[in-house]
Amino acid sequence: MGWSQSRAQLEQQFSGWLQGTVWPAARQQGVAQGTFNAALGGVTPQWDLPGLRGGSGGSQAEFGSPGKYFSRGKVDGATSTGRQMAQKYGRTLAAVERATGVPGRTILAIWGIESSYGRAKIPHDVFRILATRGFLSDRRAYFTNELIAALKIAQTSRIAPASMRSSWAGAMGQPQFMPSNYLKYAADGDGDGRADIWRSDADTMASIGNFLARHGWQRGRDWGFEVVVPPSVSCTLEGPDQGRRISDWAKMGVRRVNGKPFPNNELRGEGYLMMPAGRNGPAFIVTPNFYVLKDYNMSDLYALFVGHVGDRIQYGVGDFAGRWGKVGGLSRRDVAAMQRGLERQGHDVGGADGLAGFKTRRSIGRWQEATGQAATCFPEASMKRALAR
């Protein structure tokens, strides 16, 4: 197991922690004894969760090609079912869009990726998951606070504790909200007086729209556009901190892949270059709404998938015009070593986490340009010797 105490000893300490730490904090926030007992009475740690202190760390993850995120089955499945849901729930989606400004296609794409439009099995007891992580993970304070938030939901929302199913990470229901996000953003979409993100499709759609609106979704703006970036425009210009008017990107020679001009209502708005595989894949000019999508899940590829699938659902667009190159295959350890090498040279890579976010991508490009190379802005095996030493 890797723990110094026996499992029996840890379970005894776990029970004491629930009664001595969690219950007083929950009671102070209005949770009744009956609610606490219904949610946590007799609960024991779920020992097989990944990422527990002292547990197995697992094998080193591969840093793969971004193109793998857009598998044929994943994209087509989310699109085809999304179109069915658009037909079924057109009136509900229109009402949510009027209230929040968030297009129905965007709400559908998030619903699809998070829970396959409510069809995915959500297998876990959220209280057991959060209690286990609050006691045994490296983020004890975070998960303890989420556990107390879940207890508050059970106390105030008329949702039975047994119905509050979650993922192994504690994300709940069809939109996969953490409990604290439920308390902030869950919405009643069907008018029954409660926000049931487990069993109500309307509540799920309203909650996703409310989350995005509250995070700053700009009504009337798109998420972004696939573009062709000429060689004269460096990939090192990527990032939300290097924005400029979309009309200025157009003057620099950046153009939409479909040959259409950028919409007139977008030209004065700020846009940002986004190249998730550097020069080895599709390129985009994204709007501030793209970064609102990232507030839902802090991943460029997640936000891109949502925007792309939404466009496929509503407009019937095809695959990206740009093709994903054969890159990746490095371990996250390799990428992290390269990031540390760039940091030693004064680059801001956004942290040596083994993930090639925009700060890492453009730092690689700046290093390439400074050493007389053509900038590709993406980690490659050939760079390891120069950067990771």
Side-chain angles (χ1 to χ4, degrees):
M1 291 296 297
W3 286 288
S4 57
Q5 303 102 315
S6 68
R7 180 175 290 191
Q9 288 173 318
L10 282 168
E11 288 185 351
Q12 185 175 14
Q13 292 173 16
F14 176 76
S15 179
W17 171 74
L18 288 175
Q19 294 298 325
T21 299
V22 177
W23 164 237
R27 179 178 57 194
Q28 189 174 27
Q29 296 197 37
V31 176
Q33 181 79 63
T35 302
F36 181 86
N37 291 343
L40 291 167
V43 72
T44 58
Q46 186 161 328
W47 297 102
D48 61 350
L49 293 181
L52 300 183
R53 288 182 295 123
S56 172
S59 60
Q60 182 68 30
E62 177 185 299
F63 176 77
S65 167
K68 291 181 179 180
Y69 199 92
F70 297 85
S71 69
R72 180 82 280 144
K74 186 178 176 183
V75 171
D76 288 350
T79 300
S80 62
T81 306
R83 288 174 181 159
Q84 296 170 23
M85 292 299 183
Q87 291 289 326
K88 181 177 181 180
Y89 291 117
R91 185 172 298 178
T92 300
L93 290 163
V96 175
E97 183 166 355
R98 284 194 300 271
T100 65
V102 181
R105 66 182 183 274
T106 303
I107 293 168
L108 287 172
I110 290 178
W111 187 16
I113 196 173
E114 293 295 344
S115 64
S116 295
Y117 304 98
R119 299 177 180 184
K121 185 179 180 181
I122 303 173
H124 296 291
D125 175 346
V126 69
F127 299 100
R128 189 182 187 200
I129 293 293
L130 295 173
T132 300
R133 294 195 176 281
F135 185 68
L136 289 170
S137 79
D138 290 328
R139 302 174 67 194
R140 298 183 65 176
Y142 169 76
F143 285 110
T144 300
N145 287 336
E146 292 295 341
L147 174 59
I148 293 168
L151 290 166
K152 290 172 68 177
I153 294 167
Q155 180 68 38
T156 62
S157 68
R158 295 191 290 124
I159 305 293
S163 299
M164 295 172 57
R165 310 303 289 178
S166 79
S167 71
W168 58 263
M172 304 187 307
Q174 296 187 49
Q176 289 289 275
F177 277 4
M178 293 302 291
S180 60
N181 278 340
Y182 176 99
L183 292 173
K184 294 174 185 174
Y185 308 115
D188 175 15
D190 57 19
D192 69 351
R194 63 177 179 174
D196 187 346
I197 61 173
W198 295 268
R199 292 173 295 191
S200 171
D201 293 349
D203 291 359
T204 295
M205 289 181 275
S207 297
I208 293 170
N210 189 45
F211 179 99
L212 297 176
R214 296 273 298 277
H215 280 80
W217 186 273
Q218 294 186 9
R219 186 185 293 264
R221 294 206 68 185
D222 211 320
W223 67 269
F225 309 90
E226 188 182 359
V227 297
V228 175
V229 180
S232 58
V233 177
S234 173
C235 54
T236 64
L237 295 178
E238 183 182 8
D241 54 350
Q242 298 191 100
R244 59 189 71 201
R245 285 185 175 185
I246 289 181
S247 59
D248 291 334
W249 288 112
K251 290 175 183 176
M252 294 167 65
V254 176
R255 57 181 176 83
R256 295 177 67 182
V257 295
N258 61 12
K260 296 179 180 179
F262 292 103
N264 287 333
N265 68 305
E266 296 282 5
L267 289 173
R268 292 187 178 182
E270 194 163 49
Y272 316 92
L273 183 62
M274 206 276 290
M275 303 178 74
R279 288 284 182 182
N280 305 295
F284 306 86
I285 293 296
V286 299
T287 76
N289 286 340
F290 178 85
Y291 295 99
V292 175
L293 295 176
K294 283 191 67 174
D295 286 332
Y296 208 102
N297 182 312
M298 287 301 295
S299 161
D300 287 339
L301 296 178
Y302 177 95
L304 183 58
F305 186 93
V306 168
H308 179 57
V309 167
D311 287 350
R312 293 174 77 101
I313 289 170
Q314 181 163 339
Y315 303 124
V317 302
D319 293 338
F320 295 132
R323 292 291 176 257
W324 301 101
K326 294 182 179 180
V327 292
L330 299 168
S331 71
R332 286 184 60 175
R333 184 181 294 111
D334 287 335
V335 177
M338 294 163 67
Q339 289 170 321
R340 288 190 292 272
L342 288 164
E343 286 178 331
R344 287 191 293 270
Q345 296 184 32
H347 293 280
D348 175 11
V349 299
D353 58 3
L355 299 173
F358 75 89
K359 288 186 177 181
T360 293
R361 296 194 293 264
R362 71 188 186 191
S363 292
I364 288 172
R366 289 167 180 170
W367 167 76
Q368 289 172 313
E369 289 178 347
T371 53
Q373 306 174 62
T376 62
C377 297
F378 202 75
E380 300 167 15
S382 60
M383 303 173 186
K384 285 196 296 184
R385 179 172 295 181
L387 286 176
R389 58 190 176 192

